[in-house]
DNA sequence: CATGCATCCTGTAGTCCCTACAGGATCAAG
DNA sequence: CTTGATCCTGTAGGGACTACAGGATGCATG
């Protein structure tokens, strides 16, 4: 089990949270400013004090961002899990719209992987006198 | 063969180029401003006149952007295909670095697709009272 | 106790890659 | 000759950060 340099019981400073979740300190403050993240409690000296709930939300945001959701989409997703608990149908709508997106990105990336791999292979060590760089262009033409 | 509403022989206006390649007019001018695209010739009245060469470059940029290269990377790739024709090794370096990137994104997306598909299925029609939204979070934990 | 360095604070400005708009000029059609 | 589409330049806005200025604290050490 990973020892998590704990402050007290279950509270972190912004710096700890940042390291813990892998999100830049500036970005955490930015999320707070734009209300992606609830404003945390403050210690006597005015420093932000986070608990596991905030960490969980931030991790969710982080992961969702990595996966290509916009902050607006994430906001919507978070709201669905929140106090109002909107209908599952809404989640379904957001998620399936995004799924379509993801699937098309996925197929693009698969193609790209092939093209890149081929390019890399062909150019392998500077042997070829003129590189097939611009071929990437033509490779993508729908025939 | 697709008829390409041709102006004269092989020259397009910015609007034609835009439609042809699928890049916003504003974006084309932006690319010119930041020197991604060479400044094209101008007609007597001061309008941009593009030929197939520019179209080719723009298509290359468009495709590369779609595929996730940054403009800086594309600039580098273009330079390699240009008059100086640097070594293929350079292309190899850029492309393979990007390939690594692409592969990791790809695996994330594959995971996401599964999670989303499952979420969509579980939430199927608003039946379930509490949605597994935040489960997306935990599903992504490296175990 | 003083010094130093890390961490925190607020606030503003910069980055990347566009996108939109204002305020005109010009063209082709009716 | 008027209308509407297209073009021009230039500037400002937007999303999602990221960096920096200018301070205030906290913590360890001599």
């Amino acid at each position: 089990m990973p020892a998590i340099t704990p402050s007290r019981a279950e509270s972190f400073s912004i710096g700890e949270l940042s390291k813990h979740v892998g999100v830049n300190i500036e970005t955490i403050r930015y999320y707070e400013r734009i209300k992606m993240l609830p404003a945390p409690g403050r210690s006597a000296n005015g420093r932000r004090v986070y608990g596991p709930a905030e960490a969980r939300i931030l991790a969710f945001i982080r992961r969702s961002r990595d996966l290509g959701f916009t902050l607006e989409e994430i906001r919507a997703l978070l709201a669905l899990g929140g106090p109002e608990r909107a209908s599952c149908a809404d989640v379904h709508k957001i998620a399936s719209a995004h799924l379509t997106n993801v699937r098309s990105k996925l197929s693009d990336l698969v193609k790209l992987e092939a093209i890149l791999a081929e390019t890399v292979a062909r150019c392998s060590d500077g042997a070829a006198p003129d590189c097939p760089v611009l071929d990437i262009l033509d490779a993508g033409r729908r025939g």
Side-chain angles (χ1 to χ4, degrees), chain A:
Chain A
M1 55 200 79
I4 322 162
T5 44
S7 293
R8 204 71 44 81
E10 293 257 289
S11 64
F12 337 95
S13 70
I14 196 169
E16 286 163 342
L17 183 66
S18 169
K19 258 171 217 150
H20 196 53
V21 182
V23 173
N24 207 315
I25 289 182
E26 320 271 51
T27 305
I28 295 173
R29 287 198 280 249
Y30 166 71
Y31 284 164
E32 183 182 330
R33 237 185 7 260
I34 65 167
K35 267 126 216 245
M36 281 300 299
L37 219 51
R42 297 283 180 137
S43 70
N45 45 64
R47 301 193 168 188
R48 289 170 179 83
V49 180
Y50 297 94
E54 282 98 337
R56 192 169 151 81
I57 297 175
L58 184 59
F60 177 77
I61 296 172
R62 201 240 137 139
R63 181 159 168 75
S64 304
R65 284 295 298 131
D66 279 359
L67 297 179
F69 286 91
T70 67
L71 288 181
E72 275 323 298
E73 286 170 325
I74 298 169
R75 209 191 284 280
L77 287 172
L78 281 172
L80 297 179
E84 312 135 38
R85 293 234 175 191
S87 77
C88 244
D90 292 340
V91 179
H92 185 272
K93 210 161 75 184
I94 295 173
S96 59
H98 195 63
L99 181 54
T100 304
N101 248 322
V102 162
R103 285 194 168 134
S104 92
K105 250 185 203 164
L106 203 49
S107 85
D108 279 1
L109 275 186
V110 167
K111 277 184 226 145
L112 171 65
E113 206 224 303
I115 294 165
L116 274 181
E118 207 210 325
T119 304
V120 165
R122 276 212 271 166
C123 280
S124 60
D125 49 12
D130 66 341
C131 248
V133 192
L134 285 176
D135 291 2
I136 293 178
L137 190 162
D138 303 308
R141 286 283 170 74
R142 69 190 72 254

